[in-house]
Amino acid sequence: MSQAVEKYRNTFLREVEANVEEGQWVKMCMQCGVCSGSCPLGPHWEHPPQEIFMMIRANKREEVLTSSSMWFCTSCYNCIARCPRELPITHIMHGLAHYAQRQGLAPKELPTAKFAKRFWDNLLKKGRVNELQLGLQLYFMNGLAEGIKTSLKMQKVGLGMLKTKRMDPMEALGGHGCKDIKGLKAALNKAKQIEETKAAKALERLQSKS
Amino acid sequence: MAKREYSFYPGCSSQKKASAYNQWVSTVSICKELDIQLNEISDWNCCSASIGYAGGGELPRLVLSARNLALSEKEHPGQDLVATCAACWLATREANERLNHDAEMKTDANEALKEAGLEFKGEKKVRHLVEVLIEDVGYEEIKQHVKKPLADIKIAGYVGCQTNRPFGIAGESFENPVYLDKLVEVLGGTPVENYDKKVSCCGGALMFSEPEKSQALVKDILEAAYDGGADMIVTPCPVCQMNTEVYQEHINKKYGTKFNIPSVYYSTLMSVAFGQSAKEAALDGQIISAKKLEAIASK
């Protein structure tokens, strides 16, 4: 490992500040734990939010980015509403999850990580979410055998949705979408490019400082 | 010309034969009755809800909503942008506020939007349809349209998360918003008092990836409705509606419960109370039939 990378790793807080959505707020956490106590899936977090904040400040890069924790965020925004320091905790958790994924460090077999990635890919295809294709993909994301099991378990729900006209089998063949999907994709590619260029520059600045 | 006009963002789940198609049908019906014209943004895209973050970075996700706002600004100048879906409303309002707050981010978003020949100016207000109903129409006027009061129906107002936090409906508290209860009263029904799971999370999108953990949350929400003597649950959110309705059998199987409680949109309640047909109220969109509403609609 090059010296530059080594040095860089000693500054995980700064890395988070430069690369993670709303990361500049991490240093403001006062460790009161209201976020963790307010989280609907709190008991399932490997490290609750305030612990994640402290781990970032303690340089635990690997432990934070490989953690399953942030992937249990249901986006209920309880933590944001209740945080006495008004940290945008939900955004930071989404940001950390995204950054971990981008760095290839997110846990590979975590259902929510898989689902979230498929959701994005699904909406990118036509500009609108195809619920049927997304649902089917989701059932089969852990292989054929489990997919069949899940499909059978969900059969009644599916029939109910079909009967009440809340699901359209024709969506499997294509379905709803944006007319200007080309423009939408070009705009999103550009946005990605801008974001990545900025992140690279921030990284450079970080390395030259340390 | 309609009394009130808005630029409308329906969102993916409200499309024809999508999971919240019943919300769309009943929304159209009540807007007709209240003389509200919803002008659909012609080529809107998905907002990426609250689960797009694995693939999409911060700026791409903001650009998704900025595109919808830019289209709305172009097509419906001077009209507030209105959404019915909690996630659509949240994402769009957040993008609007963040881009207006951060000049650099706005410049970046516009550089990206230029690729689609669009520009986000940030001159609109983003509102939830509930805000339109409460602030622009008002409880008094809604009351005047009630032809068939929802007498003898006890309803648990389940507000959920994203219609309530981080923005919420103006004037309401995060911990105990009362607009659904007030609406139920105006429609002639009885709201469940102190419904203690009113703003609890149903698991949201994690119902798909972590079904057992999310169903445990929904179990508590349903149980609290029963404890309050509710005949049905009412909610403004497509994900809340689906999660509280369609998994009841799975929950019963796992926990040995006997849940079978309808969960309806506020727009369905309003439509029935306005004397509209079962079809207009989208009662045929209920997987667990709302029998008491069907009885009123067929009267």
Side-chain angles (χ1 to χ4, degrees), chain B residues 181-217:
Chain B
D181 302 334
K182 276 196 210 161
L183 187 66
V184 166
E185 258 173 13
V186 163
L187 300 176
T190 312
V192 168
E193 258 179 75
N194 306 320
Y195 177 37
D196 71 350
K197 292 292 168 184
K198 187 185 254 183
V199 293
S200 295
C201 179
C202 69
L206 269 66
M207 181 60 87
F208 298 101
S209 51
E210 296 285 353
E212 283 181 13
K213 296 180 181 71
S214 303
Q215 282 171 17
L217 300 176

Side-chain angles (χ1 to χ4, degrees), chain A residues 36-170:
Chain A
S36 310
S38 302
C39 179
L41 291 184
H44 302 288
W45 289 51
E46 194 181 359
H47 305 288
Q50 105 269 10
E51 219 169 282
I52 292 274
F53 293 143
M54 192 48 113
M55 285 164 77
I56 293 171
R57 302 195 300 221
N59 248 336
K60 309 245 179 229
R61 185 180 195 272
E62 180 104 6
E63 287 98 318
V64 169
L65 294 179
T66 57
S67 173
S68 63
S69 301
M70 331 45 111
W71 300 96
F72 283 103
C73 171
T74 64
S75 307
C76 77
Y77 295 84
N78 244 334
C79 50
I80 288 195
R82 291 179 181 167
C83 175
R85 286 253 169 110
E86 299 184 346
L87 266 74
I89 302 171
T90 314
H91 298 81
I92 302 170
M93 293 305 134
H94 292 175
L96 280 170
H98 175 76
Y99 189 58
Q101 177 96 8
R102 220 168 70 199
Q103 300 294 309
L105 291 170
K108 296 267 177 308
E109 291 308 313
L110 209 61
T112 302
K114 284 178 161 180
F115 174 54
K117 182 78 181 44
R118 278 164 178 77
F119 187 96
W120 180 258
D121 293 345
N122 181 295
L123 85 86
L124 267 198
K125 246 194 215 164
K126 301 194 91 178
R128 294 181 190 177
V129 163
N130 186 310
E131 291 177 337
L132 186 67
Q133 285 181 15
L134 182 64
L136 287 175
Q137 260 190 351
L138 185 68
Y139 296 171
F140 287 92
M141 75 184 180
N142 296 319
L144 185 66
E146 205 179 306
I148 292 170
K149 220 171 94 191
T150 311
S151 304
L152 287 172
K153 203 169 151 192
M154 295 302 292
Q155 202 177 26
K156 237 180 138 185
V157 171
L159 282 172
M161 296 297 279
L162 199 66
K163 233 171 68 187
T164 53
K165 298 192 200 78
R166 290 162 63 183
M167 192 173 94
D168 182 0
M170 295 310 281

Side-chain angles (χ1 to χ4, degrees), chain A residues 21 127 131 179 195 198, chain B residues 19 43 46 59 61 104 108:
Chain A
E21 180 169 353
E131 291 177 337
K179 282 181 235 96
E195 196 163 81
K198 283 202 169 169
Chain B
S19 58
D43 197 35
C46 172
L59 188 61
R61 278 181 284 131
E104 189 184 331
D108 290 346

